[in-house]
Structures are given as structure tokens and as C-alpha cells.
Amino acid sequence: MKKGTYISLLAGYAVTVAVYGMWQHFGLPLLPLVFALPVFYLAVVSLVPTKWHGSLGLLMSAAGDYCGESGMFLLQASFFAVAHIFYAVYFLRGAWFRPSSLAAALLLCAAVAVAASRIIPAVGNPTEHGAVVVYAVLITLMCASSFFWKGKGRGWYIAGALLFLISDVFLAWNRFVRPFTWSSVAVLSCYWAAQALLAGSYLARFIRRPLFR
């Protein structure tokens, strides 16, 4: 893949995000397909070099976006849970279990436990309560697994995984604990940046002159 092709692919992602923004700006009926378009686009272009677990993760994320915008919370959580499994499988292939990585993963788990101690008790619906618990475990596993990635672009993968986690903490806090101003901006900016970092880091490996040395 040429570097110009790589830049064009990521620019296309920015266009899909802009389409969503303009759609909202003009007050058009927000179709679930429009909301799912940015991440679905990343899923498609990530198949350009080869098939990978992250493509499946992106496809599951796009399905989760569609369900979330359609008001189907449990299906949304289910699709994203599967997405995190695919991401974790990708990160853990030939994982490098260094002491520093293990310490970072444990620190992350402790931070998530603190946030979960406020969010999970606030989930009133028993079915949603169980789904949130399972989802919290899986996204934590995904995020922690990024610390063990041994290939190039490790820092970008970690940044993407952390932003994904932060986005979901914002989302859960706004939904279950206390709504806050600009919640949608906080959630979507972190989420779309996360997916761009994850997919972009993967695609960067296939540039003829790699970005990562």
C-alpha cells in the first residue's frame, strides 16, 4: 500500500464522520445506518490488505452502532462485547508478557473497578445489570490485552483501546449514574478517535515505507 493510499483511506473516514455531523446539524432524521457508517467504512477498508480479527471487531462495532441508534441497548452491548473479543484475540497473538505491561494492565483493571463500583450499582434493570457486568469485563480484557501487543505501533493501539474504554465509561455514566453536558460529544469524539487509531495502526503496517520503525 502506498502512503498516499493510506492517507486517502483515513481521509475517507473523516468524510463519513463529517457526513454524520452535517446530518445532525441540519436536523435531518438520524437514520441508524448513517450513525453506523463511519465504523462500517473502517471495517471495509481494513480488508484492503488482508483479513484480520480487527476487521471483524469493526464490523461488530458498526452493528453495535446501528443497534444503539435504534434503541436496542442489549443488542448494542452484545455486538460490542463480541467486537472486544476479536480485538483481544488480535492483541494477544504471540503476546509479550513483560513485567511493565503486566503492571500497566493491573493498574488499568484497578481503575476500571473504581469506575464500575459507581456505575454497576446504578443499573436498575436486572437484565441490563448483568449485561453491563459482562461487558465491563470484556472491554477491560480488550484494553488490558493491548499492553501485551509486541508488534509495531504498540503505543497507538494502546491509545485506541484506552479511548474506547473512556468513551464507554462516559456513555455508561451518562446513562446510568448522572447525565452530563456535552455527553454525546465526549462519547463520540473518544469513540471515533479510538476506532481510527485501531484501524489506522493496523493499516499502517502495510505501507511500503512503514510509519512504524
Side-chain angles (χ1 to χ4, degrees):
M1 180 191 300
K2 295 181 180 180
K3 190 172 292 186
T5 302
Y6 174 79
I7 294 172
S8 297
L9 290 176
L10 292 187
Y13 176 64
V15 170
T16 63
V17 172
V19 167
Y20 170 80
M22 294 299 291
W23 201 280
Q24 272 205 323
H25 176 74
F26 288 109
L28 299 173
L30 189 55
L31 305 175
L33 284 174
V34 175
F35 182 66
L37 178 62
V39 177
F40 179 73
Y41 169 85
L42 283 181
V44 172
V45 300
S46 68
L47 292 171
V48 171
T50 183
K51 295 180 180 180
W52 66 297
H53 294 96
S55 295
L56 297 174
L58 288 162
L59 283 172
M60 293 298 102
S61 296
D65 287 339
Y66 180 89
C67 292
E69 195 61 31
S70 300
M72 297 180 285
F73 174 74
L74 291 178
L75 272 178
Q76 176 191 23
S78 298
F79 277 117
F80 275 110
V82 175
H84 295 317
I85 293 174
F86 284 125
Y87 282 132
V89 168
Y90 176 73
F91 289 138
L92 292 175
R93 293 185 307 166
W96 190 7
F97 293 97
R98 296 183 298 178
S100 59
S101 298
L102 181 59
L106 291 174
L107 183 61
L108 172 72
C109 291
V112 172
V114 172
S117 68
R118 290 293 307 277
I119 295 172
I120 292 176
V123 183
N125 185 296
T127 304
E128 290 187 354
H129 186 277
V132 170
V133 170
V134 172
Y135 183 82
V137 171
L138 290 175
I139 192 172
T140 304
L141 172 63
M142 181 279 291
C143 197
S145 68
S146 68
F147 291 107
F148 302 108
W149 172 255
K150 70 173 183 178
K152 297 175 181 178
R154 178 172 174 267
W156 295 109
Y157 279 127
I158 292 173
L162 287 174
L163 280 174
F164 209 137
L165 177 62
I166 291 170
S167 170
D168 279 347
V169 170
F170 285 155
L171 179 65
W173 194 275
N174 183 71
R175 179 183 177 91
F176 298 115
V177 181
R178 181 183 302 169
F180 61 93
T181 306
W182 297 102
S183 59
S184 61
V185 174
V187 170
L188 290 178
S189 59
C190 289
Y191 172 67
W192 279 331
Q195 298 285 28
L197 285 171
L198 293 172
S201 299
Y202 174 76
L203 289 172
R205 299 169 57 201
F206 297 91
I207 299 177
R208 291 178 184 176
R209 293 184 178 180
L211 296 181
F212 306 134
R213 301 291 181 180

